[in-house]
Amino acid sequence: MSDIEEQLRPRHSRDEEKADIYDEDGSIRSDFRALVGAAIADRDVLFLRKEVAHLHESEMGDLIEAIQPDQRLALITLLGDDFDMTALTEVDDAIRLQIVDQMPNEQIAAAIGDLDSDDAVYILEDLDEEDRDEILAQLPFTERVRLRRALDYPESSAGRRMQSEFVAVPPFWAVGQTIDYMREEEGLPESFTQIFVIDPTFKLLGVVDLDRILRTKRQVKIETIMRETNHPIPAEMDQEEAAQLFEQYDLLSAAVVDEGGRLVGVLTIDDVVDVIQEEAEEDLMRLGGVGDEELSDSIPETSRSRVPWLLVNLLTAFLAASVISLFEATIEQIVALAVLMPIVAGMGGNAGSQTMTVTVRALATRNLDIHNAWRVVRREAGVGLLNGLIFGVLIGVIAGFWFHDANIGGIIASAMLINMMAAAIAGILIPLLLDKIGADPAVSSAVFVTTVTDITGFFAFLGLATWWFAI
Amino acid sequence: MSDIEEQLRPRHSRDEEKADIYDEDGSIRSDFRALVGAAIADRDVLFLRKEVAHLHESEMGDLIEAIQPDQRLALITLLGDDFDMTALTEVDDAIRLQIVDQMPNEQIAAAIGDLDSDDAVYILEDLDEEDRDEILAQLPFTERVRLRRALDYPESSAGRRMQSEFVAVPPFWAVGQTIDYMREEEGLPESFTQIFVIDPTFKLLGVVDLDRILRTKRQVKIETIMRETNHPIPAEMDQEEAAQLFEQYDLLSAAVVDEGGRLVGVLTIDDVVDVIQEEAEEDLMRLGGVGDEELSDSIPETSRSRVPWLLVNLLTAFLAASVISLFEATIEQIVALAVLMPIVAGMGGNAGSQTMTVTVRALATRNLDIHNAWRVVRREAGVGLLNGLIFGVLIGVIAGFWFHDANIGGIIASAMLINMMAAAIAGILIPLLLDKIGADPAVSSAVFVTTVTDITGFFAFLGLATWWFAI
């Protein structure tokens, strides 16, 4: 069995869906971790080359995250040229920064020269300017120009995420000539699925998918089989917007052009998949009231990132408390109200969260817009009314029996109905309004919605009780 | 200007990022909607063929969602053969079902014959068995067998999402022979990025990316340039698991194999992107306490889908209320406690949600596992302690001044500290535990976490007060 075969063997046994460095939970197997840890401690380069060097970049990334922090740089240094820096694009930001900060700039420069430009930019963009310049200065001219140009585009833009390596041919070439060119040219990108057609000034004319080339006779001219690129992506476009184009039009890759319509790079679906994943996570985290924290953040960092949201909530909690304090006299006489009032506020808060979640998702996927907003508002109000009736009656009966007082049952039932309606309307109008004025509905809706439901809940319940019992 | 050029013109003007049937919010422009609506009412087939037929399937899907429900089938019928059924895969489930239910089975069968098998399956799988069989019976033999096989795989499996059309060649063919085959063969899939290498029994031997073929001289044998497929996807594999493989290994497409390792189809990244998006949305919706509802669901449907969660919350709310009722005597004497107690419970609930959100995300992205769980628990406890101290002091001071009573300030500060710690620990342990026993942490964590923080909050605050004032 050849070396290569042996390396590949454990990774494609038919029954295993995952390479077997993973246990069934999808974490790195602990015996493998231990073996690697021991090999690093023993500086056993032979073992590492044999068992670790061949790992896929994402497996290597997982391994780096799994081993002891102080062993990470050692692993990379021991592997030397066998270490593919692409793996660093697969680890947490904090861990990558830690590792890169410890590496001498010469080592980074040497390693980065072999990377695709998008991966190189990913690693360079987090470094401080001084280190970055030092590393760039050690790269060959074309490489340096490419990376500098990509780094000049704004963060999170298509220009940052694009790959500067691509295949481009003039329109008058024949299919045969194009194939011959690809057979001989050494400097082609590592992998590609389409080739671009450009004029002498690099203006983008069209695109040809590789399967189209393979189906076409040698003498046919490229310009007759190219298709117009309906969706060239301006380099300044935000990566999230670019991702939406990919999703909508099922693109595999797309040309990135500068203001003059000149081809500067290509954005590929694998980078876009990461963007989609990140954006979806961002929405989730924002709705939960946390920023873009990572599990590897320290306690003070994490605490700091969560305090602002809690602070806002503190203010609104005092607002709600001050509503309660208006009714101190009523509570003093009927303590049952104090027992029951959190139920009204809490149920309203949950109903509001439901509506808000649906609204935020619909806004993110562009399913909610001016045309159907009115219909959706009516629907939510209807749902609020229906659920308000159901839960109003339910709570009213339970509370009435609990405190042997039909009045209290009737009051809490009415308050619940009012609050469920308020929850529905706040749950949809607040995110819509925030979106309209350009704020991110995911980040700020929750606090406003629960404020509305808390205040409405306390006010309706205690107010109705005060009026009914004429206290 | 040729017809085709004219059709394409408005879609690739350089300044526009989107086809101009969209307004700046990404919704279908209302004047376009109105024009199309009028054309449908007037049965103006010429207009529809000229302005609508050429739309991309996803644009057509958006248009179908935007027009009046009763015009949808009319549009499809008027367009006739110019309507690409693929557009139906781009609309909400409820709308698709509505349309397909109204269409005669013959019309569906005729239209479905032209689709890629994955799109055909997508439309067929929602139909009831009788209609489905009737439609399948009208399809040509090979088509029917293909679709039946795909439909036999479990819902949400790779076999359901795969495309049964692919290019496969034997290993002993030369690159030249392969290219010649593709130039002559009529029945190739609409688009593809790799070709598969199989033995006479359809057993998968390897895969060759198209760029590799184009770089290789004609006389080279396919077997020398093919690479092993490290990640063939079993047809029964859940689509979410398959999507994770795509993400981890940056795959563009992957072979789908049956139990015998025989090639049965190909899963492509564009379908996987949809899966990733759906799964991320599912987590978001579950955390918000809503099921997989769509904006087009009716009021009773929506209400029904939200009731279970609210019901669970009602139970836990009464649990919390019964804790309060234990302290009725205390509240009767110090009404300030009733005013302040929702603050303690509410702040704890929010802190718990923060921790829970981070935990649920970390579990979904497999960043949290047995190896780092203990470290993460300690970190969260630390954050809870730190934030508990900050907010305990803050609230204590405010409450002390508000009610002119340092005792109340001290009591609420201590209760807040206790509840923030409880929130941190519940926020991480509950999702971890649910995940361990195989439950979905996104769907059930929130209710348990807020139950813990409500009960702890009320108990700590009112209990401390009772003990301190010795009531």
Side-chain angles (χ1 to χ4, degrees), chain B residues 262-371:
Chain B
R262 281 181 301 268
L263 183 64
V264 291
V266 52
L267 199 62
T268 51
I269 181 81
D270 54 315
D271 297 318
V272 170
V273 166
D274 295 340
V275 172
I276 293 173
Q277 188 76 25
E278 278 167 31
E279 300 293 341
E281 274 178 19
E282 238 178 68
D283 271 359
L284 182 78
M285 302 286 272
R286 283 176 182 166
L287 269 178
V290 276
D292 50 350
E293 48 172 270
E294 310 255 2
L295 276 192
S296 47
D297 289 352
S298 71
I299 292 180
E301 274 169 358
T302 311
S303 164
R304 205 171 327 128
S305 91
R306 294 189 194 167
V307 160
W309 168 260
L310 290 173
L311 212 55
V312 176
N313 247 94
L314 180 63
L315 288 176
T316 64
F318 270 105
L319 213 65
S322 67
V323 171
I324 303 174
S325 75
L326 295 176
F327 300 99
E328 280 187 59
T330 312
I331 295 173
E332 213 160 8
Q333 299 199 23
I334 312 167
V335 184
L337 298 179
V339 174
L340 293 173
M341 68 185 187
I343 298 180
V344 181
M347 290 291 290
N350 282 306
S353 296
Q354 290 181 328
T355 306
M356 178 190 74
T357 303
V358 176
T359 310
V360 167
R361 183 200 74 138
L363 283 170
T365 55
R366 308 200 169 182
N367 277 326
L368 183 61
D369 54 48
I370 207 89
H371 303 307

Side-chain angles (χ1 to χ4, degrees), chain A residues 404-416:
Chain A
H404 310 292
D405 188 341
N407 292 310
I408 285 190
I411 289 166
I412 197 171
S414 318
M416 182 62 89

Side-chain angles (χ1 to χ4, degrees), chain B residues 392-425:
Chain B
V393 170
L394 203 58
I395 292 173
V397 169
I398 301 176
F401 276 104
W402 186 1
F403 292 96
H404 311 292
D405 187 341
N407 292 311
I408 285 189
I411 289 166
I412 198 170
S414 319
M416 182 63 89
L417 178 60
I418 292 171
N419 207 20
M420 291 289 251
M421 292 284 292
I425 294 179

